[in-house]
Amino acid sequence: MRRALGPRPARQRRPLRLLTAAMLACGLLTSATWHASATATGGTTDLLHTAFGGSFSSGSTYTAATGETMDGVLVRRTGGELTDPADGIQLHGGQEGLTFTPSTPISGGTVQQPFVMEAAFTPAATQGSLATVFALGGNLFARYNGSSLQYGFSANNNGTWSDATKTVPAPAAGTQHVLSVAYEPTTGGATMHAFLDGAQLPDAVSTSGPAGWNDTSGAQAGFGNDVHPSALSRGLTGSLRQVRLATFTAPFVPADLALQTVRSSAKRLSVDFEGAVSANGAYHPAEGETADDGLTVTGGRITTPGTLRLAAAPRSTTGISWDTAPLGTDPLGSGVLAESVVAPELLQPGTPVMNVLGLAALTALDQHTVRLSAGAGHWDVKLPAAQSRSGVRYQHLALAVEPDADGLALTLVTGDHTVSGPFHVAASDAPAAVTPRIDWLTGARGTVYGVAVTAFSGLAPADVRVLGSLPCLATKVAPAQQISIMPGECLTSLVAKASAVRPDGRQISWQELQQTAFLHFGVNTFTGAEWGTGQEDPDVFQPTQLDTDQWARTLRDAGFKLAILTVKHHDGFLLYPSRYTTHDVASSSWEGGKGDVLGDFATSMRKYGLKVGVYISPADENQYADGVYANGGAHTPRTIPTLVPGDDRAGKKIPGFTLTADDYGAYMLNQLYEVLTQYGPIDEVWFDGAQGRIPAGKVENYDFPSWYQLIRALAPQAVIAVTGPDVRWVGNESGVARPDEWSVLPTVTTAAGSRDYALSYSAQDEGSRSALLAGRDSGASALSWWPAECDVSIHDGWFYHANQQPKSVQQLTDIYYKSVGRNADLLLNIPPDQDGQIAPADVARLTEWRARIDADMPSDLALKARATGDGQNAGAVVDGKAGTDWVTSGPNEGTVQLTLPAATTVDRIALAEDIHFGQQLESAVVEAQATDGSWSQVATVDSVGYQRIIALDQPVTTTSLRLRILHSRAAVHLDRISLFHATSS
């Protein structure tokens, strides 16, 4: 389409140094080579850190994704190394593998730089000879050697070669493991530190010189294979989920590792009494608790999850006892910390609070004082005031027993990290033998909230406590879009909070879209690049027949409700005339410098009933070349908009803001202001996390809080996606959601102020009960409603390339059911060609795809059914109205039955929760009734959320189906059950 253009405002050649803000490095829709500096807690600089969420969109060269760092080029060896959203890179041995060439060599010749190499991998049961997990420089390796795992390096001392290697048993096949090595040159030699699954392995040490490097492969790193020219058939069989290569500054510390945490303490028992006590007193732990058959409870019962009541009958005993077999044959080989959390009234005079290994005992003198006894010594300790949480008073007591040079050291930690001791017991005064048991509260009456045991070394006892968030209380939580959580918070409380998390209105409207179009269009369309340089001549942008109406018609007919245009990609070229740069369409001779793709796009989308979204890349290589991006400038208050000479807005009454930003941040804010005030309502603002191909050590700290504030003010209806608080990236560029995709998940807030996954973006479980616990243990600060968007391109690349063909109808259909059908929205990229139109082959494929979806799910057969069930308003699931719900009577229950007017064949079932009431359903079964009246299971489902589409293994013909809810977090509000039968194969 064409639109009339008014006079263009005066612009400056290169803008005042204007602004930006804070965020993590990484890039979605990025090229294969890019530079970013990421600093881990130990002071490392990542050269490569990827979980393979991107794709090989440039043939054999990898395109990184959001959350990934790649300072160099990563390629696959044979083309058979395929990316799987669940498992990462699939490897089949032989020649297969990945090769990474850093932009700046960290090895080769005389270069000897400390580095860390890590891989999360799943090995197959059978491995070829010297199958390699990773290698560097041709002579440094971690590889299989028969049934063992060998790691080390070959050292060259004046032409004499020697090997420094160590061998350990190979890890179990079929299970994911994390292997890390740290290479550290020393005077006259080198040391390789190694770690497997959190355990430190023996060092491989050379005193005969450092590692030697092969002349050909010295600058390369291999993952899943070696890089030495004579060893390129040593491929690993299995998969690579995540890999990392980073430099560090010696001396090495375990904090330099990123994929695993080296264990210096081990939680051996942690119980908050959410489980069950059997008739014989054996404790059966709940999910999230650490316990085994050695924990017994006498004279006690669990009254509510998180509360154990000890109340002995006459002449019987009470108490809790744990067999210390998990501590090994020498239970005091390191420090042991025993904990208990109790109601203060339990601390009656003479109550034995705990006895640790028969070596030290803690006895209550009253509610305010305890006596610590060991051998001939005893010490009376005044307790701090009882703590209170949600009106419940409690006392937290932890006793540490550690061996020292002359006997034992005893430390008592009470209340909020109040430490007494250490008290020393000489060997001559200590008990002669260790009793392999820890006892709590023998003969006591009252309430216990938890017990725990931790083995530790080299740490302060106060730093290894694990019961800090007890008592475990499922208190009533007010619904909110984000609810904070505490370290160590129990599962009962986490589930109650997750149940209370709700979407806001923006998120609900976004979820209703179901499928969104992405349109990558810019200078890359004409240069053939996936990631431009920022130095392109704007005149290269020359669409010959731009027709944004054709875009809109095509997208509307294919079922899209919103389209997002790449207003700016990482090269910085803008598809509208901006006052703040000359790297834009106005600097091209196209349309005589009067063209405005964004204006045409917005007008056309609204004309055909689509909403409008914009992708404005945070990265900008053009502004880096101009000294604005990553220039290290201060974040200071900026006036937005920043008027330029001849600005047509001067003297007009327009909204103004004072926001904190640096030079590039101000540049971004001014662009956002232009886009959000000049082109009508914007419904989605899409940011990725790319940092740009800039030298290592350079970083642009994006000022996301200011960007979000401006968007909320100027486009309050817009969701802020991917690097934003409203919508998240699903974690891969295959368009595939997890089989159970939760919208409620544990999150953290980055130093830049943006929301991020608490678990890895590549984790296969983000929201189940197990994931809530894992997120808590990974440092989550909140549970958030943060639904998933699944991005994928209809071609291999994101920009149009004439030699790339669209995905098949079957591929696109599979993507639809694994995104829209899994509680996510599909973001399908359909790049316009050099004419400025969606290519005929793509139009045809979209038409075929839409027809296939419509044939798979034509009319909803459930609309003819009668629904009956327990709870309230069962008929709402088949009334065809949004917002009328069947509501179950409570959690973990509910059955609704659909009776059809005649025998009907069904092959797909769609379920939908009313997300106004959160996401509650955790598991259910679908059953069909046979002619004899019996029921058989035809499908199972775990999470549902906004929509879950279930394809039956076999079509079923029946007059009645029913849904039985097995587990849920609270009462389920089910909005819809739909039944379908495909009209074509």
Side-chain angles (χ1 to χ4, degrees):
M1 66 156 291
R2 297 288 181 265
R3 59 186 289 273
L5 296 170
R8 176 179 172 83
R11 328 186 301 156
Q12 295 187 340
R13 168 64 189 164
R14 291 299 175 201
L16 314 168
R17 297 198 171 174
L18 300 173
L19 90 206
T20 202
M23 136 95 201
L24 47 153
C26 5
L28 180 57
L29 316 185
T30 60
S31 80
T33 307
W34 56 283
H35 303 126
S37 175
T39 302
T41 56
T44 59
T45 298
D46 284 353
L47 304 177
L48 177 69
H49 194 167
T50 174
F52 305 110
S55 60
F56 292 97
S57 60
S58 301
S60 292
T61 305
Y62 181 69
T63 299
T66 288
E68 298 183 337
T69 300
M70 194 164 68
D71 188 1
V73 179
L74 181 67
V75 299
R76 53 183 175 180
R77 300 273 185 87
T78 68
E81 303 87 345
L82 300 180
T83 303
D84 180 88
D87 299 323
I89 299 292
Q90 302 289 316
L91 299 172
H92 306 93
Q95 298 279 344
E96 291 192 5
L98 306 176
T99 300
F100 176 65
T101 304
S103 60
T104 302
I106 64 169
S107 63
T110 60
V111 175
Q112 290 289 328
Q113 185 172 2
F115 61 83
V116 170
M117 212 168 178
E118 301 185 84
F121 70 105
T122 301
T126 303
Q127 299 292 338
S129 177
L130 301 180
T132 301
V133 180
F134 49 66
L136 192 143
N139 287 303
L140 184 147
F141 47 81
R143 63 196 182 193
Y144 281 77
N145 191 356
S147 61
S148 299
L149 186 68
Q150 182 187 58
Y151 56 90
F153 55 94
S154 298
N156 188 340
N157 185 11
N158 297 321
T160 301
W161 287 91
S162 60
D163 290 338
T165 62
K166 291 291 182 180
T167 300
V168 296
T175 302
Q176 182 169 288
H177 303 278
V178 178
L179 178 65
S180 306
V181 300
Y183 174 78
E184 192 169 21
T186 59
T187 302
T191 297
M192 178 186 282
H193 312 282
F195 305 83
L196 179 64
D197 297 335
Q200 185 163 4
L201 305 178
D203 289 346
V205 180
S206 167
T207 58
S208 301
W213 310 110
N214 179 268
D215 291 340
T216 301
S217 56
Q220 295 180 331
F223 292 94
N225 211 324
D226 209 322
V227 291
H228 194 286
S230 65
L232 300 181
S233 295
R234 297 177 178 175
L236 179 75
T237 303
S239 62
L240 291 170
R241 172 69 274 178
Q242 196 169 5
V243 298
R244 177 177 181 245
L245 178 64
T247 59
F248 67 92
T249 302
F252 168 77
V253 293
D256 291 329
L257 306 179
L259 301 193
Q260 64 181 312
T261 301
V262 180
R263 295 190 295 267
S264 53
S265 67
K267 181 172 61 178
R268 299 303 187 192
L269 174 74
S270 179
V271 166
D272 49 31
F273 298 114
E274 296 178 273
V277 179
S278 65
N280 66 0
Y283 184 77
H284 302 284
E287 185 175 7
E289 295 183 313
T290 301
D292 57 22
D293 294 338
L295 184 67
T296 58
V297 176
T298 304
R301 65 186 182 91
I302 295 173
T303 55
T304 60
T307 302
L308 175 71
R309 180 71 180 172
L310 295 174
R315 293 186 297 277
S316 68
T317 60
T318 60
I320 305 163
S321 183
W322 182 62
D323 185 329
T324 59
L327 294 176
T329 56
D330 182 10
L332 202 61
S334 62
V336 173
L337 180 76
E339 300 177 69
S340 64
V341 177
V342 301
E345 56 269 22
L346 184 146
L347 300 176
Q348 297 300 313
T351 299
V353 179
M354 65 181 76
N355 188 302
V356 180
L357 301 168
L359 299 176
L362 195 65
T363 306
L365 300 182
D366 53 40
Q367 291 189 21
H368 310 289
T369 312
V370 292
R371 173 166 290 175
L372 174 58
S373 305
H378 67 268
W379 302 266
D380 293 348
V381 179
K382 183 78 171 177
L383 297 178
Q387 297 172 279
S388 179
R389 178 170 296 140
S390 298
V392 176
R393 297 174 68 246
Y394 64 97
Q395 191 67 261
H396 187 171
L397 304 169
L399 176 58
V401 181
E402 299 176 84
D404 63 14
D406 186 36
L408 299 175
L410 311 178
T411 305
L412 181 63
V413 185
T414 56
D416 189 15
H417 290 75
T418 301
V419 177
S420 299
F423 306 103
H424 293 280
V425 181
S428 59
D429 295 330
V434 171
T435 302
R437 193 176 70 249
I438 296 176
D439 298 314
W440 293 266
L441 305 162
T442 303
R445 292 170 179 255
T447 301
V448 188
Y449 298 111
V451 295
V453 177
T454 303
F456 68 97
S457 62
L459 295 172
D463 294 336
V464 295
R465 298 193 313 166
V466 299
L467 299 183
S469 66
L470 295 187
C472 177
L473 304 170
T475 55
K476 188 173 181 61
V477 182
Q481 197 268 346
Q482 180 172 300
I483 298 175
S484 62
I485 62 173
M486 299 180 294
E489 190 160 346
C490 68
L491 182 60
T492 296
S493 179
L494 290 173
V495 171
K497 289 182 175 181
S499 174
V501 176
R502 302 284 189 270
D504 64 20
R506 281 181 293 260
Q507 292 172 313
I508 292 173
S509 297
W510 176 87
Q511 191 92 52
E512 291 170 347
L513 298 172
Q514 298 196 54
Q515 64 183 66
T516 300
F518 219 174
L519 295 146
H520 274 65
F521 191 52
V523 289
N524 294 344
T525 307
F526 300 90
T527 64
E530 281 288 299
W531 183 322
T533 65
Q535 300 303 300
E536 295 86 359
D537 182 346
D539 211 39
V540 74
F541 184 81
Q542 292 289 338
T544 55
Q545 302 177 58
L546 179 70
D547 189 348
T548 53
D549 273 3
Q550 185 252 5
W551 301 2
R553 287 192 304 271
T554 300
L555 299 179
R556 178 203 61 187
D557 294 346
F560 293 96
K561 305 293 194 306
L562 182 148
I564 301 172
L565 177 67
T566 54
V567 175
K568 185 184 78 167
H569 202 249
H570 313 320
D571 48 69
F573 184 81
L574 287 168
L575 293 183
Y576 76 95
S578 174
R579 300 167 181 83
Y580 300 96
T581 183
T582 56
H583 200 57
D584 64 357
V585 290
S587 297
S588 168
S589 61
W590 172 69
E591 293 287 320
K594 303 296 183 182
D596 187 342
V597 179
L598 175 56
D600 293 349
F601 164 79
T603 300
S604 293
M605 294 304 127
R606 296 190 187 102
K607 175 180 176 181
Y608 287 91
L610 279 77
K611 295 185 175 183
V612 175
V614 292
Y615 165 25
I616 302 176
S617 170
D620 194 318
E621 294 195 19
N622 177 264
Q623 289 300 301
Y624 178 75
D626 274 3
V628 177
Y629 183 86
N631 67 7
H635 294 259
T636 58
R638 310 289 177 123
T639 298
I640 304 300
T642 307
L643 300 184
V644 300
D647 201 308
D648 60 324
R649 298 169 296 186
K652 295 181 180 179
K653 187 175 182 180
I654 59 174
F657 304 87
T658 300
L659 299 167
T660 299
D662 66 4
D663 291 342
Y664 176 72
Y667 176 75
M668 276 289 289
L669 283 168
N670 277 299
Q671 285 185 347
L672 284 167
Y673 190 97
E674 290 178 319
V675 170
L676 299 177
T677 58
Q678 296 174 189
Y679 294 97
I682 301 297
D683 295 286
E684 182 166 346
V685 179
W686 203 94
F687 296 126
D688 59 17
Q691 262 289 315
R693 295 175 298 190
I694 57 179
K698 289 278 191 177
V699 65
E700 172 60 45
N701 292 315
Y702 301 136
D703 190 4
F704 280 114
S706 289
W707 299 1
Y708 298 162
Q709 184 178 342
L710 186 68
I711 295 166
R712 290 289 193 243
L714 296 177
Q717 75 285 350
V719 294
I720 307 172
V722 181
T723 303
D726 301 323
V727 174
R728 65 184 162 92
W729 176 52
V730 75
N732 64 73
E733 294 179 358
S734 302
V736 174
R738 297 161 183 82
D740 292 300
E741 193 66 70
W742 285 86
S743 294
V744 180
L745 63 161
T747 61
V748 296
T749 300
T750 69
S754 60
R755 183 170 293 173
D756 201 1
Y757 285 99
L759 301 173
S760 167
Y761 63 84
S762 62
Q764 287 305 295
D765 180 7
E766 295 285 358
S768 73
R769 295 182 179 223
S770 296
L772 298 180
L773 290 164
R776 172 203 70 185
D777 295 340
S778 295
S781 58
L783 302 179
S784 305
W785 190 277
W786 205 30
E789 183 179 70
C790 301
D791 66 307
V792 65
S793 182
I794 196 170
H795 299 154
D796 288 339
W798 293 94
F799 287 89
Y800 183 83
H801 307 287
N803 63 342
Q804 294 183 355
Q805 297 304 308
K807 290 178 169 60
S808 68
V809 171
Q810 183 56 50
Q811 286 175 303
L812 293 173
T813 302
D814 186 58
I815 287 168
Y816 180 89
Y817 288 123
K818 289 180 178 178
S819 56
V820 174
R822 290 180 174 179
N823 187 40
D825 276 20
L826 171 61
L827 178 61
L828 181 63
N829 179 63
I830 304 135
D833 60 18
Q834 291 186 352
D835 288 338
Q837 300 184 28
I838 296 176
D842 293 352
V843 174
R845 186 56 40 84
L846 290 171
T847 301
E848 296 167 342
W849 172 55
R850 187 70 253 169
R852 170 69 177 273
I853 299 297
D854 291 342
D856 279 354
M857 295 186 295
S859 60
D860 182 358
L861 303 172
L863 296 177
K864 300 177 182 179
R866 178 173 59 89
T868 57
D870 50 24
Q872 302 174 29
N873 198 22
V877 297
V878 294
D879 66 3
K881 300 176 183 177
T884 58
D885 307 332
W886 167 55
V887 185
T888 65
S889 299
N892 305 319
E893 61 180 320
T895 299
V896 63
Q897 180 175 329
L898 273 57
T899 302
L900 294 154
T904 303
T905 301
V906 174
D907 55 17
R908 278 187 175 81
I909 301 171
L911 306 175
E913 289 184 73
D914 184 344
I915 61 174
H916 289 85
F917 299 93
Q919 187 176 1
Q920 309 295 349
L921 198 150
E922 292 179 300
S923 69
V925 295
V926 180
E927 298 167 322
Q929 190 173 38
T931 54
D932 64 0
S934 63
W935 293 89
S936 60
Q937 181 176 302
V938 296
T940 63
V941 62
D942 292 333
S943 68
V944 173
Y946 180 76
Q947 178 174 251
R948 183 69 178 266
I949 301 174
I950 308 165
L952 302 184
D953 293 335
Q954 296 291 333
V956 60
T957 301
T958 183
T959 58
S960 189
L961 292 119
R962 70 184 182 192
L963 175 76
R964 287 196 300 115
I965 293 174
L966 305 179
H967 300 287
S968 64
R969 294 175 176 177
V972 173
H973 288 246
L974 199 69
D975 180 66
R976 175 172 54 90
I977 301 177
S978 295
L979 308 176
F980 302 101
H981 180 220
T983 58
S984 62
S985 60

